[in-house]
Amino acid sequence: MNLKFQNVIFAIAITATGLAVQEPFLLGQISARSPFVIAQAETNSITAVDSVGITVSDMDKAIQFYSEVLSFQKISDVEVLGSEYERLQGLFGLRLRVVKMRLGTEILELTEYLTPKGRPIPVDSHSNDRWFQHIAIAVRDMDKAYEILRKYKVQHASTAPQRIPDTNKAAAGIRAFYFKDPDGHNLEIIYFPKGKGDPKWQENKGQENSQQVFLGIDHTAIVVSNTDASLQFYRDLLGLRLAGESENFGIEQEHLNNVFGAKLRISGLRAPSGLGIEFLDYLSPSDGKPFPPDARPNDLLHWQTTLVVNDAKAIAQKLRSSRTIFISPDVIEIPYRSFGFKRGFLVRDPDGHALRIIEK
């Protein structure tokens, strides 16, 4: 069952109760609601969107930015090397420093490739390019949040914070702003007024004595070339639930994305728990550049969204049958649970965005 709402706009994924996705079966005598079918669906579906990760050029500089500017807290810091990690990331001779940063209950994972070093983000990147991805950070007060960003002289991506006008009753008062971290990764801050967005952002704002401006990560957004193809992958193959859709355009959207004439089809997806994943499908302009075919995880344009499953091998087999591109050669056993999971693998979605699928 998919829940569809018409009042989802901007960069919003509505939280709703997670439902098991029913897989199609050729066994005509088995009911779609039978325990066997439900168990198979749960085994072969994502249980959580666990975290989002980026490749950084200088770990200490990245930690300083995310902690001082955006109030993330470092919760782990490990350095690894060896064949298991080479196979997981699809790169030979690597040595990684991986730091997990937490804001609220959500996790951002920073990875520095001590060796081999990758390429910087292309200087001519735009918000409608296929490698575009960002995290949306919910804020208690947009004016205070923007003041902090200006204090630290962050690089603008939007011209200024944008407010949805009152003429759009479904989302009136929602405000958002795009900016960049020191490596050029796109980030968003988003303010949800009362009655909009995940209720937990309202709970945070209700704490009058709280001075916390940045609250947590609401979702990660990715540019897709074809919403229907992406839904086949994320919803039909992986079992995420379509939680909301909208079509966004107008001067506010143009200045938010800094793309003249921007008109987007936006779809929000959810797993039973964790962050939202949002599709940004540019209906116009349609001249966004495709994902570089030679991109590697050590390149700074690399993001990876971590999805939790009950059975990594079952999901891997399902994805191989669907001709998904694998970055890892197979499901990789992780020694000593260095990354907090026991096995996992990396794949690319239909547009090239990397997903790390793990079993804890």
Side-chain angles (χ1 to χ4, degrees), residues 9 35 56 74 130 169 194 247 262 282 304 308 311 338 344:
I9 73 104
V56 303
K74 184 171 76 170
R130 301 286 157 67
K169 295 181 180 180
K194 186 176 180 180
E247 192 170 293
Y282 277 80
Q304 60 186 39
V308 181
D311 189 335
S338 308

Side-chain angles (χ1 to χ4, degrees), residues 16 47 51 78 110 124 155 157 159 171 189 238 246 260 296 311 318-319 321 333-334 340 343 348 352 354:
T47 62
S51 62
V78 299
L110 309 175
D124 61 343
Q155 181 181 351
T159 55
I189 51 175
L238 296 179
S246 70
F260 181 72
R296 302 190 302 173
D311 189 335
K318 186 177 181 181
L319 291 173
S321 298
E333 301 288 332
I334 304 301
R343 61 179 63 94
R348 294 198 182 277

Side-chain angles (χ1 to χ4, degrees), residues 52 81 104 139 149 222 233 240 251 327:
V52 179
L81 74 164
V139 300
L149 299 184
I222 57 175
F233 181 81
L240 273 68
I251 190 169
I327 298 174

Side-chain angles (χ1 to χ4, degrees), residues 334-355:
I334 304 301
Y336 317 115
R337 298 207 180 183
S338 308
F339 293 159
F341 58 89
K342 61 183 179 181
R343 61 179 63 94
F345 60 96
L346 271 68
V347 296
R348 294 198 182 277
D349 76 0
D351 289 291
H353 300 287
L355 300 172

